[in-house]
PDB file of all heavy atoms in Angstrom:
ATOM      1  N   ASN A  22      82.086 132.978  85.538  1.00  0.00           N
ATOM      2  CA  ASN A  22      82.711 132.440  86.741  1.00  0.00           C
ATOM      3  C   ASN A  22      81.674 132.137  87.820  1.00  0.00           C
ATOM      4  O   ASN A  22      81.756 131.115  88.491  1.00  0.00           O
ATOM      5  CB  ASN A  22      83.761 133.419  87.290  1.00  0.00           C
ATOM      6  CG  ASN A  22      85.020 133.410  86.441  1.00  0.00           C
ATOM      7  OD1 ASN A  22      85.304 132.428  85.763  1.00  0.00           O
ATOM      8  ND2 ASN A  22      85.758 134.503  86.467  1.00  0.00           N
ATOM      9  N   GLU A 120     100.069  70.171  80.203  1.00  0.00           N
ATOM     10  CA  GLU A 120     100.323  69.581  81.518  1.00  0.00           C
ATOM     11  C   GLU A 120     101.270  70.441  82.339  1.00  0.00           C
ATOM     12  O   GLU A 120     101.084  70.636  83.531  1.00  0.00           O
ATOM     13  CB  GLU A 120     100.929  68.181  81.357  1.00  0.00           C
ATOM     14  CG  GLU A 120      99.858  67.105  81.337  1.00  0.00           C
ATOM     15  CD  GLU A 120     100.456  65.723  81.163  1.00  0.00           C
ATOM     16  OE1 GLU A 120     100.722  65.354  80.000  1.00  0.00           O
ATOM     17  OE2 GLU A 120     100.676  65.036  82.175  1.00  0.00           O
ATOM     18  N   ILE A 189      83.717  87.493  88.152  1.00  0.00           N
ATOM     19  CA  ILE A 189      83.125  88.838  88.036  1.00  0.00           C
ATOM     20  C   ILE A 189      82.043  88.995  89.101  1.00  0.00           C
ATOM     21  O   ILE A 189      81.920  90.043  89.741  1.00  0.00           O
ATOM     22  CB  ILE A 189      82.573  89.055  86.605  1.00  0.00           C
ATOM     23  CG1 ILE A 189      83.757  89.177  85.625  1.00  0.00           C
ATOM     24  CG2 ILE A 189      81.663  90.285  86.530  1.00  0.00           C
ATOM     25  CD1 ILE A 189      83.382  89.375  84.188  1.00  0.00           C
ATOM     26  N   GLU A 197      86.245  96.802  82.644  1.00  0.00           N
ATOM     27  CA  GLU A 197      86.612  96.214  81.359  1.00  0.00           C
ATOM     28  C   GLU A 197      87.502  97.211  80.630  1.00  0.00           C
ATOM     29  O   GLU A 197      87.070  98.327  80.328  1.00  0.00           O
ATOM     30  CB  GLU A 197      85.357  95.935  80.509  1.00  0.00           C
ATOM     31  CG  GLU A 197      85.701  95.314  79.156  1.00  0.00           C
ATOM     32  CD  GLU A 197      84.635  95.516  78.098  1.00  0.00           C
ATOM     33  OE1 GLU A 197      83.513  95.939  78.430  1.00  0.00           O
ATOM     34  OE2 GLU A 197      84.954  95.278  76.915  1.00  0.00           O
ATOM     35  N   ARG A 199      88.581  98.399  77.569  1.00  0.00           N
ATOM     36  CA  ARG A 199      88.084  98.232  76.203  1.00  0.00           C
ATOM     37  C   ARG A 199      89.061  98.877  75.221  1.00  0.00           C
ATOM     38  O   ARG A 199      89.405 100.047  75.372  1.00  0.00           O
ATOM     39  CB  ARG A 199      86.699  98.889  76.068  1.00  0.00           C
ATOM     40  CG  ARG A 199      85.929  98.448  74.838  1.00  0.00           C
ATOM     41  CD  ARG A 199      84.527  99.031  74.820  1.00  0.00           C
ATOM     42  NE  ARG A 199      84.537 100.449  74.533  1.00  0.00           N
ATOM     43  CZ  ARG A 199      84.674 100.975  73.301  1.00  0.00           C
ATOM     44  NH1 ARG A 199      84.796 100.198  72.236  1.00  0.00           N
ATOM     45  NH2 ARG A 199      84.682 102.284  73.133  1.00  0.00           N
ATOM     46  N   LYS A 202      91.841 101.681  70.385  1.00  0.00           N
ATOM     47  CA  LYS A 202      92.897 101.809  69.362  1.00  0.00           C
ATOM     48  C   LYS A 202      94.143 101.180  69.956  1.00  0.00           C
ATOM     49  O   LYS A 202      94.387 101.319  71.156  1.00  0.00           O
ATOM     50  CB  LYS A 202      93.155 103.303  69.186  1.00  0.00           C
ATOM     51  CG  LYS A 202      93.557 103.769  67.810  1.00  0.00           C
ATOM     52  CD  LYS A 202      94.127 105.164  67.939  1.00  0.00           C
ATOM     53  CE  LYS A 202      93.214 106.241  67.422  1.00  0.00           C
ATOM     54  NZ  LYS A 202      93.926 107.544  67.343  1.00  0.00           N
TER      55      LYS A 202
ATOM     56  N   GLU B 120      88.599 130.606  87.653  1.00  0.00           N
ATOM     57  CA  GLU B 120      89.814 131.361  87.293  1.00  0.00           C
ATOM     58  C   GLU B 120      91.063 130.737  87.896  1.00  0.00           C
ATOM     59  O   GLU B 120      92.101 130.623  87.256  1.00  0.00           O
ATOM     60  CB  GLU B 120      89.688 132.810  87.767  1.00  0.00           C
ATOM     61  CG  GLU B 120      89.105 133.700  86.694  1.00  0.00           C
ATOM     62  CD  GLU B 120      88.962 135.131  87.178  1.00  0.00           C
ATOM     63  OE1 GLU B 120      87.949 135.421  87.845  1.00  0.00           O
ATOM     64  OE2 GLU B 120      89.862 135.937  86.891  1.00  0.00           O
ATOM     65  N   ILE B 189      92.047 111.864  71.300  1.00  0.00           N
ATOM     66  CA  ILE B 189      91.915 110.439  70.944  1.00  0.00           C
ATOM     67  C   ILE B 189      92.487 110.233  69.539  1.00  0.00           C
ATOM     68  O   ILE B 189      93.179 109.259  69.268  1.00  0.00           O
ATOM     69  CB  ILE B 189      90.436 110.004  71.044  1.00  0.00           C
ATOM     70  CG1 ILE B 189      90.032 109.977  72.529  1.00  0.00           C
ATOM     71  CG2 ILE B 189      90.198 108.645  70.387  1.00  0.00           C
ATOM     72  CD1 ILE B 189      88.601 109.581  72.801  1.00  0.00           C
ATOM     73  N   GLU B 197      89.457 102.566  76.749  1.00  0.00           N
ATOM     74  CA  GLU B 197      88.335 103.077  77.548  1.00  0.00           C
ATOM     75  C   GLU B 197      88.187 102.156  78.750  1.00  0.00           C
ATOM     76  O   GLU B 197      87.906 100.964  78.597  1.00  0.00           O
ATOM     77  CB  GLU B 197      87.041 103.059  76.733  1.00  0.00           C
ATOM     78  CG  GLU B 197      85.858 103.603  77.528  1.00  0.00           C
ATOM     79  CD  GLU B 197      84.506 103.121  77.016  1.00  0.00           C
ATOM     80  OE1 GLU B 197      84.428 102.579  75.902  1.00  0.00           O
ATOM     81  OE2 GLU B 197      83.521 103.276  77.768  1.00  0.00           O
ATOM     82  N   ARG B 199      86.015 100.847  81.111  1.00  0.00           N
ATOM     83  CA  ARG B 199      84.553 100.803  81.198  1.00  0.00           C
ATOM     84  C   ARG B 199      84.144 100.228  82.553  1.00  0.00           C
ATOM     85  O   ARG B 199      84.590  99.136  82.926  1.00  0.00           O
ATOM     86  CB  ARG B 199      83.990  99.931  80.067  1.00  0.00           C
ATOM     87  CG  ARG B 199      82.496 100.132  79.824  1.00  0.00           C
ATOM     88  CD  ARG B 199      82.023  99.340  78.620  1.00  0.00           C
ATOM     89  NE  ARG B 199      81.991  97.915  78.893  1.00  0.00           N
ATOM     90  CZ  ARG B 199      81.002  97.282  79.548  1.00  0.00           C
ATOM     91  NH1 ARG B 199      79.963  97.950  79.986  1.00  0.00           N
ATOM     92  NH2 ARG B 199      81.060  95.981  79.758  1.00  0.00           N
ATOM     93  N   LYS B 202      81.252  97.398  87.337  1.00  0.00           N
ATOM     94  CA  LYS B 202      80.765  97.334  88.711  1.00  0.00           C
ATOM     95  C   LYS B 202      81.712  98.191  89.537  1.00  0.00           C
ATOM     96  O   LYS B 202      82.922  98.201  89.266  1.00  0.00           O
ATOM     97  CB  LYS B 202      80.952  95.886  89.159  1.00  0.00           C
ATOM     98  CG  LYS B 202      79.925  95.344  90.129  1.00  0.00           C
ATOM     99  CD  LYS B 202      80.458  94.071  90.757  1.00  0.00           C
ATOM    100  CE  LYS B 202      79.842  92.811  90.225  1.00  0.00           C
ATOM    101  NZ  LYS B 202      80.191  91.632  91.056  1.00  0.00           N
TER     102      LYS B 202
END
Side-chain angles (χ1 to χ4, degrees):
Chain A
N22 285 336
E120 268 179 277
I189 290 179
E197 180 203 348
R199 196 175 72 79
K202 212 196 253 191
Chain B
E120 268 179 277
I189 290 179
E197 181 203 346
R199 196 175 72 81
K202 213 196 255 192

